[in-house]
Amino acid sequence: MAEPAGVDRGIQSLIAARNSLKSSLEKSKAIGLALGKTSPRFDEIEQRLPSLEAAVRPIRADREALVAVGGHINRAVGPAAAVLKVFDAVHGLEKSLLSDPRNDLSGYLSVLKRLEEALKFLGENCGLAIQWLEDIVEYLEDHSVADEKYLSSLKKSLRGLREFQEEKARLDGGLKDAALDKLENEFRRLLQDNSVPLPMASPSSSLGDQPCIAPSQLPVTVIHKLQAILGRLRANNRLDKCISIYVEVRSLNVRASLQALDLDYLDISVTEFNDVQSIEGYIAQWGNHLEFAVKHLFEAEFKLCNDVFERFGSNVWMDCFSKIAAQAGMLAFLHFGKTVTDSKKDPIKLLKLLDIFTSLNKLRGDFNRLFGGAACVEIQNFTRDLIKRLIDGGAEIFWELLAQVEIQKQIPPPSDGGVPRLVSFVTDYCNKLIGVKYKSTLTQVLLIHKSWRSERFQDNQLMVEVLRIIKMIEQNMDAWMKAYPDQTLAHFFSMNNHWHLYKNLKGTRIGDQLGDSWLKEHDQYKEYYATVFLRDSWGKLPSHLSREGLILFSGGHATARDLVKKRLKSFNDAFDEMYKKQSAWVIPEKDLRDRVCQQIVQAIVPVYRSYMQNYGPLVEKDSSSSKYVRYTVVALEKMLSSLYIPKPMRYGSFKGTPPSEKLKNDVDLRRTTSAVV
């Protein structure tokens, strides 16, 4: 009985345990359902916890840190607020600065200056404001006063501000650059609208009629505006751009002024002409044009550069002027001079070199004043090189003249018995060298050339050398006279040339130096050779009209008629032969030609007239009279009076092989004596 009782108790215990487990399961199920219903609220709470934590963090922070953070914030906010206020002011200037400066230049410049001051303030204070903001963020981070996520966002914003501040050009969004561009455009407009070429009546008008110095070509009010613009642009490192604009506009203006002078010849090259004679007209123009350009155009530009850029120092405006001079054509003038020095060497070239040297020497003071600064070094170097070429080339030609004249002795004398081109050229040429126009310049050139070689130049050395050249001409004349196989022509030649020397040197400086005895000697030689020439040529013709064996006409005698016919035929044949021969001869000097012709007429015509009056009737009635009476007295006199007239456009040359290659062959001097310049 005891075992069943024990079983029952065990069963009851199991039932009780089951019920207890069942009850626990039901409660767990109920709790699970309740937890499922409250889960969204837990998620919401979890999401709100970080912000709640950040909100209560200052409460958890150190008290001293919380007290100090207020001062840090106040110090950072003040500069930041000031910077923001200036930024707002900058944006307020945008409308004014994007307008046209010509409407109110002074107002525009004032607004631009305010912008510059604002940008300067921002440049100086933006960094400071950012630094203070960075300091407060660092403080908050070090003392755990703010949330890390919040601090990270602040740091990112501050890095962006720092990068923006370092790119200063972006502080105004490019507004200042746009304003400066507008000022540069206004600077160009003011120059272009007020730069007018110097008016000239015509290219052929006398340059000497122009005023000595051209006035400033810009009104004072315009100059003041240009200076005001330059001041602002220089403050913003844009002065070089302004100078470029100024040089461009003013150079074009000067070139426009020069266009009326027709300066195309400045570009001529050595290969485009044979010798300086073919361009001597250009050389004469060159001196006038250069003087005009320097005294009128470049003088005005020099003064104007000083007026416009005077506030910026002499270096600035001198550099500006030098660029204008170079671009406007000053170097082209100098290059033309160099081209002349490079041309073929001949005596005429010496005169042209002296002309160019005279023009430059005349402008030496102007050159030193206008182009003497360091900025004009290119023009200075070119000018010095040109002057050296002029002096070296001129001295070289001069010292070789004697040898060049001497070598002409080898050339045959002229077949017409006239004055050789060499003689007429050299006498005229030497007179020019020591004349008023060239003597002082040539002396200066030779003096400088000698000094460069550390040699001494005597005061009378120029005259001594010229006299040696004239005396060499005398020697050449003697040699040429001896070269004629026909002695009559030789005497005719000597008569011509001795008279030429006498006439062309008497009353000149050369003649004064040679002395009266030298001149009289040549005059006497002329008389001597004229007498011999007449005696041995025309003086023989009257003998053909001899009266020997003739009686005065008395009704006709056959013997006398035949004798007259014979003598007239002999006279006519001799006359025709001599006239034909000497018709090709010339006497260049009219006074000598008239005198010689008169002497020939006096020697022949009276004898012929008398003979024909006395014996002409013996043959005039003869059917064949035309064979014996070929000339009337009037016709004979006219023929003799028209002898020795030079043919028009007679050319000559001054040729020979020089002792050195420096003086080339074929020095063509195709000019009449009176035309040699």
Side-chain angles (χ1 to χ4, degrees), residues 520-558:
K520 289 179 181 179
E521 182 180 352
H522 282 279
D523 187 31
Q524 291 169 359
Y525 274 127
K526 179 265 298 181
E527 291 291 342
Y528 170 76
Y529 286 116
T531 301
V532 174
F533 159 69
L534 290 170
R535 183 195 67 196
D536 294 344
S537 57
W538 297 103
K540 294 181 178 181
L541 260 62
S543 63
H544 292 282
L545 300 176
S546 172
R547 302 189 181 199
E548 184 179 354
L550 296 176
I551 60 173
L552 292 178
F553 172 68
S554 60
H557 297 281

Side-chain angles (χ1 to χ4, degrees), residues 98 130 153 183 199 220 331 391 393 446 519 583 630:
L98 293 180
I130 294 172
S153 178
L183 277 184
V220 175
L331 292 176
I391 292 175
L446 297 177
L519 292 170
S583 291
R630 298 180 190 175

Side-chain angles (χ1 to χ4, degrees), residues 412-414 416-425 477 480 484 493 497 500 650 653:
D416 59 11
V419 178
R421 183 71 181 100
L422 174 69
V423 176
S424 60
F425 172 79
M477 286 168 48
W480 287 327
Y484 282 109
F493 167 84
N497 285 271
H500 180 85
R650 289 183 65 245
S653 62

Side-chain angles (χ1 to χ4, degrees), residues 607-635:
V607 175
Y608 184 75
R609 179 186 294 112
S610 175
Y611 196 85
M612 291 304 297
Q613 287 175 349
N614 291 322
Y615 307 110
L618 288 174
V619 296
E620 286 175 354
K621 296 180 180 180
D622 194 290
S623 60
S624 60
S625 61
S626 59
K627 292 173 55 179
Y628 306 105
V629 184
R630 298 180 190 175
Y631 308 104
T632 65
V633 173
V634 174

Side-chain angles (χ1 to χ4, degrees), residues 6 63 110 140 148 162 170 191 208 211 325 354-355 393 429 447 489 494 524 526 537 549 571 596 638 659:
R63 182 179 179 184
S110 177
L140 294 175
E148 291 182 359
R162 176 67 70 183
R170 296 175 56 190
L191 282 174
L354 294 178
D355 286 339
Y429 185 77
L447 176 63
L489 183 56
S494 296
Q524 291 169 359
K526 179 265 298 181
S537 57
F571 172 84
V596 170
K638 185 177 181 180

Side-chain angles (χ1 to χ4, degrees), residues 9-47:
R9 285 196 299 274
I11 292 172
Q12 291 177 355
S13 297
L14 289 172
I15 292 171
R18 186 194 66 174
N19 292 334
S20 178
L21 288 172
K22 185 177 179 180
S23 175
S24 296
L25 288 172
E26 290 177 351
K27 288 180 179 180
S28 296
K29 185 177 180 180
I31 291 172
L33 291 172
L35 287 174
K37 292 179 180 179
T38 59
S39 179
R41 293 191 62 192
F42 280 121
D43 292 338
E44 182 180 353
I45 292 171
E46 184 178 7
Q47 291 176 359

Side-chain angles (χ1 to χ4, degrees), residues 34-272:
L35 287 174
K37 292 179 180 179
T38 59
S39 179
R41 293 191 62 192
F42 280 121
D43 292 338
E44 182 180 353
I45 292 171
E46 184 178 7
Q47 291 176 359
R48 293 179 60 189
L49 279 176
S51 59
L52 292 174
E53 182 182 8
V56 300
R57 184 182 297 274
I59 301 175
R60 292 162 46 201
D62 182 72
R63 182 179 179 184
E64 293 180 359
L66 288 173
V67 172
V69 74
H72 284 288
I73 292 174
N74 289 336
R75 284 193 298 272
V77 168
V83 167
L84 290 174
K85 185 176 181 181
V86 173
F87 265 118
D88 291 338
V90 167
H91 289 297
L93 302 176
E94 183 173 351
K95 181 178 179 181
S96 298
L97 292 176
L98 293 180
S99 64
D100 194 338
R102 79 170 69 184
N103 299 326
D104 181 11
L105 181 60
S106 61
Y108 191 92
L109 293 173
S110 177
V111 173
L112 178 58
K113 188 173 182 180
R114 287 169 54 193
L115 174 63
E116 293 171 5
E117 292 171 349
L119 294 178
K120 180 180 179 182
F121 176 85
L122 292 176
E124 293 174 349
N125 292 279
C126 274
L128 181 62
I130 294 172
Q131 182 62 52
W132 280 346
L133 290 174
E134 289 175 342
D135 289 345
I136 189 60
V137 169
E138 183 179 354
Y139 183 88
L140 294 175
E141 184 178 30
D142 291 345
H143 295 84
S144 301
V145 176
D147 178 62
E148 291 182 359
K149 188 175 181 181
Y150 173 71
L151 291 176
S152 176
S153 178
L154 282 177
K155 288 180 180 179
K156 183 177 180 181
S157 298
L158 289 175
R159 281 196 301 270
L161 286 175
R162 176 67 70 183
E163 293 173 357
F164 183 82
Q165 183 265 338
E166 290 175 353
E167 298 179 13
K168 294 182 180 180
R170 296 175 56 190
L171 291 176
D172 63 344
L175 180 60
K176 186 175 78 167
D177 285 342
L180 294 175
D181 289 342
K182 284 183 171 294
L183 277 184
E184 286 180 356
N185 293 334
E186 177 64 7
F187 186 83
R188 180 186 291 275
R189 186 194 68 80
L190 285 171
L191 282 174
Q192 290 177 335
D193 290 354
N194 294 277
S195 294
V196 181
L198 186 65
M200 287 180 287
S202 68
S204 60
S205 62
S206 174
L207 298 180
D209 295 337
Q210 300 290 338
C212 191
I213 299 296
S216 174
Q217 296 180 352
L218 294 181
V220 175
T221 54
V222 173
I223 292 177
H224 290 166
K225 288 181 179 181
L226 294 175
Q227 290 175 335
I229 294 175
L230 285 170
R232 291 268 52 83
L233 292 175
R234 186 194 189 192
N236 291 278
N237 299 318
R238 290 207 182 191
L239 183 60
D240 288 344
K241 182 65 179 298
C242 286
I243 291 176
S244 298
I245 294 173
Y246 186 91
V247 169
E248 175 191 347
V249 174
R250 295 303 299 179
S251 297
L252 290 174
N253 188 67
V254 174
R255 294 187 74 88
S257 298
L258 290 173
Q259 282 180 354
L261 300 179
D262 190 15
L263 300 178
D264 291 343
Y265 69 88
L266 294 180
D267 298 325
I268 194 170
S269 65
V270 178
T271 58
E272 295 180 67

Side-chain angles (χ1 to χ4, degrees), residues 551-586:
I551 60 173
L552 292 178
F553 172 68
S554 60
H557 297 281
T559 302
R561 184 181 301 110
D562 291 341
L563 192 56
V564 169
K565 287 182 179 181
K566 180 179 179 182
R567 290 177 179 175
L568 281 175
K569 184 177 184 305
S570 175
F571 172 84
N572 290 333
D573 291 344
F575 178 86
D576 289 346
E577 180 183 359
M578 190 169 298
Y579 185 84
K580 181 179 179 181
K581 177 181 179 182
Q582 296 196 18
S583 291
W585 298 2
V586 299

